[in-house]
Amino acid sequence: MKICEFKAVYKPSLKNGEHPQILESKALANVFRANYGEGEIEYREKVKCAFLNASLNVICVATIAEGGITDSACDPRIVFQHALLCNAVSVALCHNHPSGSLVPSSQDKEMTENIKKCGEFMKIKLIDHIILSGSDYFSFMEKDMI
């Protein structure tokens, strides 16, 4: 009988001290903004996550979902699969609004709450959810919405 084998491998490409440390939402927004290609923020929605270690250093950033012009679905299982594979102790969400609006939708608030609850169960803290526009950002943490 043949069965599939799964092997998790972590290959860090940066040395200790080279990972950006996140001490404020603006720094987190800048990390996310740097992970969008030219013109992508205004094109269609993407959900990205930053995975952090205990010192709040970014281990990696991953694209979790790609959507359309007005929405994208974020599956918490994919978020936490990434978090577990890179040994993250906290996670930050980000998605862009091609319209330029920084007002969180009801779906944005629901996504935040779902990720927060899943993380609490797994002891992986959601530290922020950033919404990016072409020129600015909105932070759920800064607005006490987490």
Side-chain angles (χ1 to χ4, degrees):
M1 175 190 329
K2 290 186 178 185
I3 58 172
C4 296
E5 178 182 345
F6 177 81
K7 183 177 182 181
V9 178
Y10 177 63
K11 295 181 180 179
S13 59
L14 299 175
K15 296 176 184 167
N16 286 338
E18 293 180 339
H19 296 272
Q21 188 177 35
I22 303 302
L23 300 176
E24 61 183 6
S25 296
K26 184 176 182 177
L28 183 59
N30 290 336
V31 166
F32 281 124
R33 189 174 297 283
N35 278 274
Y36 279 86
E38 186 176 339
E40 280 188 322
I41 291 175
E42 295 86 359
Y43 180 57
R44 65 179 190 178
E45 281 199 17
K46 287 187 179 184
V47 177
K48 295 181 181 269
C49 285
F51 302 97
L52 298 92
N53 65 18
S55 298
L56 296 177
N57 296 104
V58 177
I59 299 167
C60 65
V61 175
T63 300
I64 302 301
E66 296 187 33
I69 297 167
T70 59
D71 64 354
S72 55
C74 176
D75 187 336
R77 295 169 292 193
I78 296 173
V79 171
F80 291 102
Q81 177 187 47
H82 281 76
L84 292 170
L85 289 172
C86 69
N87 290 329
V89 298
S90 58
V91 63
L93 281 173
C94 176
H95 77 283
N96 58 306
H97 278 178
S99 69
S101 170
L102 291 173
V103 177
S105 68
S106 58
Q107 293 91 344
D108 297 340
K109 294 172 186 175
E110 183 180 347
M111 175 178 23
T112 305
E113 191 60 28
N114 287 342
I115 297 299
K116 181 181 175 184
K117 285 180 182 177
C118 289
E120 287 171 352
F121 177 75
M122 301 177 74
K123 297 184 179 168
I124 299 173
K125 183 179 180 180
L126 174 63
I127 63 165
D128 206 343
H129 181 174
I130 300 288
I131 299 173
L132 291 178
S133 71
S135 61
D136 207 356
Y137 74 94
F138 175 92
S139 163
F140 278 69
M141 194 263 314
E142 285 180 354
K143 301 295 183 186
D144 293 321
M145 295 174 67
I146 290 185

